[in-house]
Amino acid sequence: MNPEQPPSSLSPLLASRRSPWSFDTDAEVGDRALAAVLEAARWSASSGNTQPWRFLVGRRGDAVFEKIYGTLRPRNRTWAGGAGVLLLTVYDLGGDRPLRHAQYDVGQAVAHLSIQAGHEGLVVHQMAGFDPDAAREAFGIPAGFVPCTVVALGHLGDPGSLPEDLAARQARPRTRRPLAETAFTEWGVPLDLDRPPG
Ligand SMILES: Cc1cc2nc3c(=O)[nH]c(=O)nc-3n(C[C@H](O)[C@H](O)[C@H](O)COP(=O)(O)O)c2cc1C
């Protein structure tokens, strides 16, 4: 995969979104911005409008943040403590009427949250690297609900504050599989698009 920039056709909020590791530990996430990103998630689409997502929200320095932080894999602990907010995302399995798309829906809600975060001047870094059983235990999450991801939210910080390997990763150009290997007309047959470069 070749390193590349997102094309200029992307909305600036989408083009500038990325998952940085460095957070500004001096800057707090204000109530207004936090409410805005949570509203963005709340107003995203879901299968049958079932809204299977739930969020446990911790702010740096409070007990909820510490509990979420305590479930992270060691690698993620090296940087995620700098975020202003840690969110534990959870989805509802739906009980007697299973929600087959619950995981899809929670992902989409977080995608909306991430774009709203960009609008608020904030950055987001999602994590699968946490212990869902520990999260269930820490928050008494009932059967029928599943801890899904942890989301770090905050202000972008100086990469100089990161461990060397993460600073190098953050500086590295991003890569994506080409569109021709992603969008097909028949399986494996690329969609033929006439489009200007960039
Ligand atoms: C569901 C999910 C889980 C992820 N888990 C981790 C993680 O545990 N630790 C980490 O550093 N990054 C994690 N990431 C970030 C991805 O590595 C990142 O989104 C990907 O490399 C693309 O980079 P970009 O978001 O900057 O475009 C995760 C992203 C998603 C969507």
Side-chain angles (χ1 to χ4, degrees):
M1 283 187 288
N2 294 325
E4 57 178 337
Q5 293 294 319
S8 57
S9 55
L10 255 60
S11 137
L13 280 176
L14 292 171
S16 61
R17 186 214 60 81
R18 61 178 307 174
S19 304
W21 288 272
S22 59
F23 286 88
D24 181 349
T25 51
D26 293 327
E28 283 186 11
V29 175
D31 281 357
R32 199 199 55 77
L34 183 55
V37 301
L38 292 169
E39 286 290 357
R42 185 165 83 96
W43 282 97
S44 75
S46 61
S47 179
N49 198 21
T50 45
Q51 306 163 63
W53 47 74
R54 304 287 188 280
F55 304 107
L56 285 147
V57 184
R59 308 175 93 142
R60 195 173 57 244
D62 75 14
V64 180
F65 187 100
E66 287 308 315
K67 281 206 281 189
I68 298 173
Y69 181 78
T71 70
L72 295 179
R73 300 281 178 219
R75 176 85 172 142
N76 285 330
R77 284 193 207 185
T78 61
W79 58 271
V85 170
L86 288 179
L87 299 157
L88 173 66
T89 77
V90 177
Y91 60 88
D92 184 359
L93 288 172
D96 294 342
R97 303 183 64 189
L99 297 173
R100 277 202 313 122
H101 294 91
Q103 226 176 334
Y104 179 99
D105 290 341
V106 76
Q108 180 157 227
V110 174
H112 283 217
L113 178 153
S114 301
I115 300 308
Q116 185 70 33
H119 181 70
E120 305 298 328
L122 300 170
V123 293
V124 158
H125 198 134
Q126 303 176 57
M127 289 168 267
F130 79 108
D131 181 342
D133 295 334
R136 181 182 293 287
E137 171 88 25
F139 290 103
I141 296 168
F145 287 82
V146 182
C148 185
T149 53
V150 173
V151 178
L153 169 74
H155 294 266
L156 184 63
D158 176 5
S161 61
L162 289 172
E164 223 171 89
D165 56 332
L166 283 185
R169 267 178 87 183
Q170 190 159 308
R172 227 181 273 159
R174 293 153 77 216
T175 59
R176 287 297 189 265
R177 186 177 57 238
L179 203 51
E181 295 171 27
T182 301
F184 305 144
T185 49
E186 297 286 345
W187 189 254
V189 179
L191 173 68
D192 186 18
L193 289 173
D194 185 19
R195 56 192 181 129

